[in-house]
Amino acid sequence: MRARVVRVALVAATVALVLLAVPLAVAIRYAFFADEGGELERDAMAAVVRVGPDFTVGDPVELHAARPGEGLALYDASGRLRSGAGPALGGGVVTRALAGDVAQSRSGGELVVAVPVSSGERVIGVIRAATSAGTVWTRVFWGWAALLGLCLVALGAAVGVARRQASVLTAPLEALAGTSLAVADGDLTARAEQNTIPEIDEVARAHNTMVDRLAQLLEHERNFTANASHQLRTPLAGLQLGLEAALADPDADPRAALAEAAERSRHLDHTIEEVLRLARSGLGTLPSVREQPAGDVLEAADRRWHGPFAQDGRRLTMTWEPEAGRLPVPGHTVEQVVDILLDNAHRHGRGTVTVTLRDLETALALDVADEGSADLDPRAIFERGMGDGSGIGLALARQLADAAGGRLSLASTAPTRFTLLLPLHEDL
């Protein structure tokens, strides 16, 4: 592109110089010949004052010395040479001057000016001044050479400026191309820098906006995949273990096993629905969901998690006041948050796990506590990648809580206690 910009600038400069130089060259030629004609006329006028009326009766006339390369001659009324350097017969230019006017011509390789000599009101002779036209042309050629030199200097300056401007114009585009290649190679942190050219700067901003949106989409997709795998892993494992246990025990009640499998399947369906809804809504508020009594949500969680804790020799207790248990909450969302907190307590906590539901009049407080301790910064524990595991669960739980209009926080580190606050009214 740089070569193209330089080429365009060079063509434009050349056209401009030609349009300027051609009239100047014509003007130089005209000016030099006009200047030389004026010099000849002045020399002829100076000679005229030396010619007296007596030369017509034979008195000698002595003309002043001419300039180098110039010839001065005096002709009588019949056009014959009387004095000076010139042809024997004056020719047409002298004839025209005998009519009383200054005459000028260029013929035979000479530039000639003839000035009439008058006495009284009668023309008695003519002063002829002549010089070689080649001398004038030499001056014209030198003038043209100077003009050509100036044009070449101007053209060189135009090329230099064009190269500089081409560099200024192409450098941001080359940088933008490099940024685009970096993004194509997978570096979504690459961003185009701002520059002083508004049009290219606008392209860079549009490119950065596109990359930002692309990065958000990819991050969104990665989060969705991670969230789905994290949330489906435990329910699927529970469903598989329940079915395998029923198959291994010949005395097991198949209806009970099928009922448990059906409940776990419904929970899986709720999990998939919640993850999809969260993925579609981004980080904003989730669309309205079916509300359930808080007590029903906790009872279902107790049925899902009582067995895993009991297998590890740990207790799971859930307490709530009847009034608090009847308050409506976004069922599927709270279900997922409780599952994440219980899974976290099961994997990383110790001792008895206590789930407490409290009515704060303006909000519901759901506490999940165990007898372990959290060594991480309470502000960083909800970031993805933090902790000893995948670092997804708590980040997803906070995202779900925020999207439902609530707030999830680490209320205590020793012992570990997470608190989910859910507003009961729209103005809170």
Side-chain angles (χ1 to χ4, degrees):
M1 181 176 179
R2 294 191 183 191
R4 185 175 301 173
V5 172
V6 173
R7 189 161 55 248
V8 170
L10 185 60
V11 170
T14 302
V15 172
L17 288 174
V18 168
L19 293 177
L20 179 64
V22 170
L24 282 177
V26 174
I28 288 174
R29 174 187 174 280
Y30 175 81
F32 280 11
F33 274 95
D35 180 66
E36 186 64 24
E39 289 289 336
L40 291 175
E41 185 174 348
R42 283 190 292 272
D43 290 343
M45 288 292 184
V48 167
V49 300
R50 290 176 172 269
V51 177
D54 296 335
F55 94 93
T56 57
V57 295
D59 286 348
V61 177
E62 189 172 337
L63 302 176
H64 67 277
R67 292 178 298 144
E70 181 184 64
L72 286 175
L74 172 63
Y75 290 84
D76 59 19
S78 62
R80 295 180 180 279
L81 177 66
R82 296 293 299 272
S83 178
L89 296 176
V93 66
V94 172
T95 301
R96 291 196 302 273
L98 287 173
D101 296 323
V102 176
Q104 181 175 334
S105 70
R106 190 171 74 231
S107 61
E110 284 188 320
L111 179 62
V112 181
V113 174
V115 178
V117 179
S118 302
S119 177
E121 295 182 358
R122 186 170 59 91
V123 177
I124 61 175
V126 173
I127 295 293
R128 179 182 183 273
T131 188
S132 173
T135 303
V136 183
W137 277 112
T138 300
R139 292 172 57 195
V140 171
F141 289 147
W142 277 110
W144 285 354
L147 178 61
L148 179 61
L150 289 175
C151 290
L152 292 177
V153 170
L155 194 60
V159 171
V161 173
R163 291 175 64 89
R164 172 62 181 170
Q165 288 300 110
S167 177
V168 171
L169 287 172
T170 58
L173 294 177
E174 291 170 353
L176 182 58
T179 302
S180 300
L181 290 176
V183 172
D185 290 337
D187 182 10
L188 295 181
T189 63
R191 294 294 183 275
E193 297 182 356
Q194 293 184 348
N195 58 83
T196 57
I197 304 174
E199 292 79 3
I200 300 179
D201 194 32
E202 184 176 353
V203 174
R205 286 196 299 270
H207 175 273
N208 290 342
T209 301
M210 178 194 67
V211 175
D212 287 338
R213 293 179 180 175
L214 179 62
Q216 290 175 1
L217 288 174
L218 291 177
E219 182 68 18
H220 197 58
E221 292 298 324
R222 283 195 293 265
N223 289 344
F224 167 72
T225 303
N227 293 342
S229 62
H230 181 275
Q231 289 301 95
L232 294 177
R233 182 181 62 247
T234 300
L236 282 173
L239 177 60
Q240 182 179 3
L241 289 174
L243 293 175
E244 289 177 352
L247 290 174
D249 185 3
D251 297 329
D253 183 3
R255 294 182 60 84
L258 290 175
E260 182 181 358
E263 183 176 355
R264 290 186 178 274
S265 298
R266 284 192 294 272
H267 180 62
L268 277 173
D269 182 65
H270 297 166
T271 300
I272 295 171
E273 179 184 345
E274 212 46 32
V275 172
L276 284 174
R277 289 175 60 247
L278 184 63
R280 290 166 184 159
S281 63
L283 297 179
T285 302
L286 286 173
S288 59
V289 296
R290 185 174 64 88
E291 294 188 337
Q292 295 176 251
D296 293 350
V297 175
L298 295 183
E299 287 177 355
D302 183 56
R303 290 193 298 270
R304 289 193 302 274
W305 287 96
H306 182 80
F309 280 102
Q311 290 176 2
D312 293 344
R314 298 172 61 187
R315 293 180 58 194
L316 172 62
T317 62
M318 296 196 178
T319 59
W320 63 86
E321 297 177 357
E323 295 79 3
R326 289 191 290 268
L327 293 175
V329 294
H332 296 170
T333 302
V334 175
E335 182 180 86
Q336 297 304 312
V337 175
V338 170
D339 276 352
I340 292 172
L341 295 179
L342 290 177
D343 181 64
N344 186 73
H346 182 245
R347 292 173 179 274
H348 308 293
R350 295 200 309 267
T352 301
V353 177
T354 303
V355 179
T356 305
L357 182 65
R358 296 176 289 133
D359 182 5
L360 305 180
E361 296 185 358
T362 59
L364 273 179
L366 179 64
D367 300 317
V368 178
D370 61 63
E371 297 175 354
S373 61
D375 297 330
L376 295 174
D377 184 349
R379 294 171 297 180
I381 196 172
F382 294 100
E383 296 180 3
R384 286 183 178 265
M386 298 299 294
D388 299 332
S390 61
I392 297 174
L394 292 178
L396 174 58
R398 170 165 279 189
Q399 187 177 352
L400 286 165
D402 292 343
R407 186 181 66 179
L408 178 63
S409 62
L410 177 61
S412 173
T413 57
T416 303
R417 177 165 57 88
F418 289 91
T419 298
L420 171 65
L421 291 177
L422 293 170
L424 294 177
H425 305 287
E426 293 184 359
D427 57 337
L428 295 175

